[in-house]
Amino acid sequence: MRFISEQLLDDGVLEREFTLGEIPGTLWTPGSAPAPLVLMAHNNGLPKAEPRLVARARYTAARGYAVATIDAAGCGDRPRSAADERARADLRRAMQAGGPVDEIFESFIGPLVEKAVPEWQTTLDTLLELPEICGPVGYSGGWTALGIRLAVVEPRIAAAGFFAGGYVPRAQREEARQVAIPLLFLLQWDDEGNPRNGPWTCSTPSAARRRHCTPIREGTPAPRGSNWRTGAGSWTGT
């Protein structure tokens, strides 16, 4: 891991950009150390610099947690392949035409999850070697499919929080039944851009022993208000 920039923010959080091989990432650490770690990913591989993710990361770090995020392959600062560009173009055309998009999402998001999981595990290996980071480890993010897979295959993750959902491939809908860690699921209820059927299928019969599912009105909760911060109750944003 090579740190390429650092900035001490007004709230005492240290923000550092890093690279790990071809993987670009950001690490936020509080003034107190060592700190437990939260892996934070945005919906379906949106960039790590997405403002809502950064706001949540800073809020979390200011309260004593280390937070890390990375760009998925073909997202953010990483180059896109010709296949990535075709998948995105196909999706845009289908959505503009009002046609079915599930199979396009399946062909795009499924492989993205498969590529992302080992990269997150490699990142976790390296982060836990830093003296300012310790366990336990949690996952938080709108990329529910990635969170499901990590919760199943990565034993170092002790708890998880999902929100907004995005498209969840069929493989992860089945894997959700194996999730056994404490889980908070903020589920959009009336949001045309994020249909609830896929995430709801994941959340209802899961084998998770301790789980709470909270409906929200639409989209990813904005970084404001106690409901967004605690996950308690319904989100009242617009």
Side-chain angles (χ1 to χ4, degrees), residues 56-93:
R56 285 190 291 274
R58 289 186 57 176
Y59 180 91
T60 304
R63 279 142 187 86
Y65 297 86
V67 181
T69 188
I70 61 174
D71 277 334
C75 302
D77 293 332
R78 301 181 70 173
R80 293 182 182 178
S81 67
D84 293 334
E85 295 291 2
R86 284 194 299 271
R88 286 175 166 84
D90 290 345
L91 180 59
R92 284 193 295 269
R93 283 193 295 269

Side-chain angles (χ1 to χ4, degrees), residues 6-177:
E6 69 174 57
Q7 180 182 6
L8 184 62
L9 305 175
D10 293 341
D11 50 11
V13 171
L14 181 62
E15 179 183 271
R16 287 176 286 178
E17 300 289 329
F18 66 83
T19 57
L20 182 59
E22 298 179 351
I23 306 169
T26 308
L27 174 65
W28 294 266
T29 49
S32 57
L37 175 64
V38 177
L39 306 177
M40 194 169 286
H42 198 58
N43 192 7
N44 287 343
L46 288 175
K48 63 182 176 60
E50 210 286 333
R52 288 174 295 180
L53 185 150
V54 173
R56 285 190 291 274
R58 289 186 57 176
Y59 180 91
T60 304
R63 279 142 187 86
Y65 297 86
V67 181
T69 188
I70 61 174
D71 277 334
C75 302
D77 293 332
R78 301 181 70 173
R80 293 182 182 178
S81 67
D84 293 334
E85 295 291 2
R86 284 194 299 271
R88 286 175 166 84
D90 290 345
L91 180 59
R92 284 193 295 269
R93 283 193 295 269
M95 295 182 71
Q96 289 168 0
V101 296
D102 277 10
E103 290 307 315
I104 300 175
F105 270 126
E106 191 75 28
S107 65
F108 177 56
I109 302 301
L112 195 62
V113 172
E114 295 294 333
K115 295 175 184 176
V117 167
E119 292 189 340
W120 277 95
Q121 290 179 305
T122 297
T123 302
L124 178 58
D125 291 342
T126 304
L127 289 169
L128 289 177
E129 293 176 355
L130 298 176
E132 62 266 38
I133 294 177
C134 64
V137 179
Y139 174 90
S140 173
W143 196 356
T144 299
L146 174 65
I148 290 170
R149 171 59 64 84
L150 283 172
V152 171
V153 304
E154 180 45 71
R156 291 171 292 186
I157 294 180
F162 306 152
F163 49 84
Y167 182 81
V168 180
R170 287 185 285 269
Q172 276 68 63
R173 294 179 214 174
E174 289 301 317
E175 283 182 324
R177 302 170 188 272

Side-chain angles (χ1 to χ4, degrees), residues 136-140 147-148 150-152 154-162 176 178-186 206-213:
V137 179
Y139 174 90
S140 173
I148 290 170
L150 283 172
V152 171
E154 180 45 71
R156 291 171 292 186
I157 294 180
F162 306 152
Q178 303 173 44
V179 175
I181 60 175
L183 172 64
L184 172 67
F185 200 152
L186 300 181
S206 168
R209 297 184 180 90
R210 288 167 287 173
R211 181 186 62 237
H212 179 70
C213 182

